[in-house]
């Protein structure tokens, strides 16, 4: 067995409303790893593979009666929060390829009583894994046992389930909860399987409240989601990391070539007798900004062929930084003022001649 991935099963006691529930929790401990998933302020950072994978394991979130805010307390997990899947953004293609942990929502009145009675549930997803597909569109992966559904009941205390739709249209509810009114409660995704690609909530309206139909109400996210177990997600992240690492290696190689071209042109400028010292300094100063610009473009790419083409596009730009000065034959030495001081001649006064 790979020593870096050791699956552990243990039991976590958490609170749903006023009841304590025991749930089996799957966690993956990573030996020798001390990093964790980056926070919102680290958006542009490309995580080392183990740092991303460390967060795949984890305990079931617990709720308490103080978790009554607009945003679930479990959104305070270091991951960036987006109102919906379509709004997820990435710093560059490398981050989009590797992916990151995100929270989705909360979505107000996600599912509600169809007859106008003010019974409804707010909804969110904690710690889903976000990436882009082959067309560059963001999507999320539900990591079974890691991602959780956050639910908040309004209007009445109602039972609520996670709600899945399989690819063939089969529908299934799972993990019933009975949360107190206004309190965020968390539904584990452990019962989910990769067969399902739509996710939402179902609740039964309280028939003791006037205007309530007492029926079941469902709503699913308007986008499909991927559902993976931790092993599958680990494999995906590992493959993505290999792509990013190859891009980083190719970028370093191409930047070395550009720096070699810079040295060649700097030497040519220094050896050009047609240039003054000031002209040489000014011409060499044109090249470093080009290298900075080229590096930024390469860092945003994951395709090695694209990185190579960026390097090729900057070779002629660097070469063009050297332009010859005035040909030596056309150069005239500047006129110099004489430094010899000639004494003034004193002439005798003129005599008037009288006739």
């Amino acid at each position: 067995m790979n020593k870096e991935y050791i699956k552990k099963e243990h039991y976590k006691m958490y609170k749903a409303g006023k009841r304590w529930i025991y749930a089996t929790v799957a966690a993956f401990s990573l030996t020798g790893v001390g990093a964790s998933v980056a926070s919102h302020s680290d958006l542009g950072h490309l995580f080392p593979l183990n740092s991303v994978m460390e967060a795949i394991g984890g305990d079931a979130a617990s709720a308490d009666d103080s978790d009554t805010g607009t945003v679930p307390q479990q959104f305070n997990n270091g991951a960036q929060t987006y109102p919906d899947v379509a709004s997820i953004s990435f710093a560059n293609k490398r981050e989009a390829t590797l992916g990151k942990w995100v929270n989705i929502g909360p979505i107000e009145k996600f599912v509600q009583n169809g007859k106008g009675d003010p019974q409804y549930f707010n909804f969110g997803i904690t710690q889903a894994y976000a990436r882009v597909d082959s067309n560059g569109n963001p999507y999320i992966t539900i990591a079974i046992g890691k991602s959780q559904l956050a639910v908040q009941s309004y209007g009445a205390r109602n039972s609520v389930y996670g709600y899945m739709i399989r690819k063939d249209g089969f529908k299934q509810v799972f993990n019933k909860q009975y949360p107190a009114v206004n309190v965020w409660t968390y539904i584990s995704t452990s019962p989910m399987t990769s067969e399902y690609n739509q996710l939402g909530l179902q609740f039964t309206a309280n028939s003791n409240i006037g205007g309530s139909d007492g029926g079941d109400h469902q709503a699913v996210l308007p986008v499909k989601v991927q559902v993976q177990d931790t092993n599958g997600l680990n494999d995906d992240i590992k493959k993505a990391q290999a792509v990013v690492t190859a891009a980083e290696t190719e970028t370093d190689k191409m930047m070395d070539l550009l720096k070699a071209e810079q040295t060649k042109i700097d030497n040519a400028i220094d050896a050009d007798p047609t240039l003054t010292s000031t002209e040489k300094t000014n011409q060499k100063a044109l090249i470093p900004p080009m290298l900075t610009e080229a590096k930024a473009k390469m860092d945003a790419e994951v395709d090695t062929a694209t990185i190579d083409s960026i390097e090729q596009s900057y070779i002629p730009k660097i070469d063009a930084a050297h332009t010859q000065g005035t040909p030596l034959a056309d150069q005239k030495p500047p006129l110099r003022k004489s430094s010899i001081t000639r004494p003034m001649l004193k002439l005798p006064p003129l005599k008037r001649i009288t006739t």
Side-chain angles (χ1 to χ4, degrees):
M1 178 183 291
N2 188 329
K3 293 182 179 179
E4 285 193 335
Y5 308 92
I6 305 172
K7 185 174 181 180
K8 298 180 179 180
E9 289 192 353
H10 57 281
Y11 290 91
K12 173 71 176 181
M13 185 174 71
Y14 65 99
K15 196 176 183 183
K18 296 186 180 297
R19 297 185 306 158
W20 289 96
I21 298 173
Y22 288 85
T24 302
V25 179
F28 284 76
S29 65
L30 301 178
T31 59
V33 179
S36 60
V37 173
S39 66
H40 181 13
S41 61
D42 296 322
L43 181 60
H45 178 64
L46 297 178
F47 316 123
L49 175 60
N50 286 344
S51 297
V52 178
M53 294 169 73
E54 181 186 31
I56 291 177
D59 295 340
S62 59
D64 58 52
D65 293 340
S66 67
D67 195 357
T68 58
T70 303
V71 177
Q73 290 179 5
Q74 291 301 327
F75 272 23
N76 298 322
N77 53 30
Q80 188 171 3
T81 296
Y82 295 91
D84 52 53
V85 176
S87 63
I88 296 173
S89 60
F90 300 91
N92 51 45
K93 291 181 181 178
R94 293 185 188 179
E95 186 185 62
T97 299
L98 185 57
K100 61 184 178 181
W101 294 104
V102 299
N103 303 311
I104 303 298
I107 304 170
E108 294 186 4
K109 297 184 179 180
F110 178 76
V111 58
Q112 53 189 319
N113 186 354
K115 290 192 174 182
D117 181 75
Q119 297 181 56
Y120 60 88
F121 274 87
N122 296 334
F123 176 57
I125 303 175
T126 71
Q127 299 190 86
Y129 200 76
R131 291 169 282 182
V132 296
D133 61 21
S134 58
N135 296 319
N137 299 315
Y139 71 98
I140 60 170
T141 295
I142 298 298
I144 299 173
K146 171 69 175 180
S147 307
Q148 297 182 96
L149 310 185
V151 296
Q152 187 181 39
S153 178
Y154 269 81
R157 186 174 186 179
N158 292 317
S159 59
V160 62
Y161 299 82
Y163 185 67
M164 303 177 292
I165 302 178
R166 204 163 61 188
K167 296 175 183 178
D168 61 5
F170 178 78
K171 301 177 181 179
Q172 181 68 49
V173 296
F174 64 95
N175 273 10
K176 174 183 175 180
Q177 295 289 327
Y178 190 48
V181 178
N182 298 351
V183 176
W184 284 101
T185 302
Y186 303 91
I187 300 176
S188 171
T189 55
S190 295
M192 295 189 71
T193 71
S194 58
E195 296 177 311
Y196 295 90
N197 63 5
Q198 285 190 281
L199 179 65
L201 297 180
Q202 173 178 305
F203 85 95
T204 303
N206 191 328
S207 59
N208 293 325
I209 295 180
S212 173
D213 57 14
D216 292 336
H217 301 278
Q218 306 92 18
V220 295
L221 288 172
V223 295
K224 293 181 179 180
V225 299
Q226 182 188 41
V227 179
Q228 281 186 297
D229 60 21
T230 51
N231 289 332
L233 185 53
N234 277 339
D235 288 343
D236 280 1
I237 295 172
K238 186 175 181 179
K239 291 174 183 177
Q241 181 65 66
V243 172
V244 171
T245 298
E248 292 171 341
T249 300
E250 191 68 12
T251 295
D252 291 342
K253 178 182 175 182
M254 293 299 103
M255 286 305 300
D256 286 342
L257 293 177
L258 290 182
K259 290 173 184 177
E261 190 70 14
Q262 176 189 24
T263 299
K264 184 182 80 173
I265 298 304
D266 281 350
N267 291 338
I269 292 172
D270 286 334
D272 189 343
T274 68
L275 298 175
T276 66
S277 296
T278 300
E279 289 172 334
K280 291 178 180 180
T281 299
N282 291 341
Q283 288 190 12
K284 288 192 289 185
L286 297 173
I287 302 177
M290 297 181 191
L291 299 187
T292 300
E293 184 179 80
K295 179 69 162 54
K297 290 182 178 181
M298 293 181 192
D299 283 343
E301 297 295 334
V302 292
D303 179 62
T304 54
T306 301
I307 294 170
D308 292 349
S309 67
I310 293 172
E311 183 268 342
Q312 287 296 312
S313 71
Y314 276 86
I315 292 293
K317 296 179 182 180
I318 294 173
D319 293 347
H322 178 205
T323 56
Q324 288 189 331
T326 304
L328 293 176
D330 296 336
Q331 294 183 18
K332 296 180 180 180
L335 296 177
R336 296 182 179 179
K337 294 182 180 181
S338 175
S339 61
I340 300 175
T341 302
R342 300 179 183 275
M344 296 291 294
L345 295 178
K346 293 184 179 181
L347 298 177
L350 296 176
K351 295 182 179 180
R352 181 178 293 180
I353 301 175
T354 57
T355 56

